[in-house]
Amino acid sequence: RYSAEKITRFAFDYASNLSEITLSDRMKVLESGTFYNIPVRKINLGKGIEKIEKNQSKGKQTKQQKQKGILSV
């Protein structure tokens, strides 16, 4: 486990073995493109998220997903 507060741009770029990611409640910032080009299907956001920059992935996020804290990839 890591206790980082920010994930930088393209941190998981082309990490082909990821299918699910769970972020701790300490995570505050997801920079643009954090989850770009990875096959992950589920990302569990922690309660501490303060900022999610645009262009996280190639997918689109619905209004309902935003309200529920679900990041579409």
Side-chain angles (χ1 to χ4, degrees):
R1 293 191 182 240
Y2 297 95
S3 61
E5 292 184 351
K6 174 172 79 171
I7 299 178
T8 58
R9 187 175 189 199
F10 303 120
F12 298 107
D13 197 27
Y14 294 100
S16 61
N17 62 340
L18 292 176
S19 62
E20 184 174 340
I21 296 172
T22 299
L23 302 175
S24 78
D25 290 340
R26 293 182 181 175
M27 186 61 56
K28 293 181 180 180
V29 178
L30 300 177
E31 289 188 354
S32 177
T34 299
F35 304 110
Y36 199 79
N37 288 322
I38 62 170
V40 70
R41 293 287 174 214
K42 184 175 182 181
I43 299 172
N44 302 300
L45 299 177
K47 295 177 183 177
I49 292 291
E50 296 174 358
K51 182 178 181 182
I52 299 176
E53 294 182 358
K54 293 182 180 182
N55 301 320
Q56 285 300 319
S57 68
K58 291 182 180 180
K60 293 184 177 181
Q61 189 178 29
T62 66
K63 184 176 181 180
Q64 291 80 16
Q65 288 172 321
K66 287 179 185 177
Q67 291 171 341
K68 293 180 181 178
I70 300 170
L71 182 63
S72 176
V73 294

